Amino acid sequence: MSTDELAGYAIFNEKCASCHATDLFTDNSFRNNGLPINPSLNDIGRFRVTELDSDKYKFKVPSLRNIEKTAPYMHDGRFFTLEAVLNHYSSGVVSSATLDASLNENGTLGIPLSNTEKPN
């Protein structure tokens, strides 16, 4: 791998691999990733199946295999580019009672990503 690819892989391992793990790049869990609620959709996530309040707005962590070919992104298709996805995680995460703990570390929402850490 090139130097840039190795650097990207290190960033991925540091900031993304806790959820996007294994050879399929998913841990198959259900998590609230801090998307703003879309009031036009009554999409309450895993709660619809379990009826547990702790599952509200949790959705299955998707595989990242061939991710560049699977737009649009998120459970409701709200993002059309991977750049928009990364922007959500770096500055668009909304707090809620069921937000995944990895997205709220010491009161800091999201995953800090500099512009140089986001691919062009």
Side-chain angles (χ1 to χ4, degrees):
M1 290 199 308
S2 72
T3 303
D4 284 347
E5 290 168 332
L6 288 169
Y9 186 59
I11 292 166
F12 173 83
N13 283 324
E14 178 187 343
K15 300 186 178 195
C16 308
S18 61
C19 297
H20 296 286
T22 76
D23 56 341
L24 293 178
F25 299 104
T26 179
D27 64 1
N28 289 308
S29 66
F30 291 82
R31 299 175 186 250
N32 178 337
N33 64 350
L35 288 171
I37 297 168
N38 182 343
S40 65
L41 298 174
N42 188 23
D43 199 349
I44 52 179
R46 183 98 175 123
F47 175 83
R48 190 173 307 281
V49 175
T50 66
E51 297 184 355
L52 297 171
D53 284 338
S54 60
D55 282 340
K56 283 186 178 173
Y57 309 111
K58 290 185 178 182
F59 299 91
K60 190 168 185 179
V61 175
S63 171
L64 297 184
R65 284 264 183 209
N66 295 316
I67 193 69
E68 72 281 1
K69 300 182 183 301
T70 61
Y73 304 105
M74 300 301 175
H75 71 280
D76 58 2
R78 70 177 68 195
F79 298 131
F80 295 98
T81 66
L82 290 170
E83 180 182 15
V85 171
L86 293 177
N87 286 337
H88 161 72
Y89 283 114
S90 66
S91 62
V93 170
V94 174
S95 185
S96 71
T98 61
L99 179 65
D100 194 79
S102 68
L103 296 175
N104 187 1
E105 303 230 349
N106 301 317
T108 300
L109 294 176
I111 301 170
L113 292 167
S114 68
N115 285 335
T116 57
E117 291 175 321
K118 296 179 199 175
N120 300 341

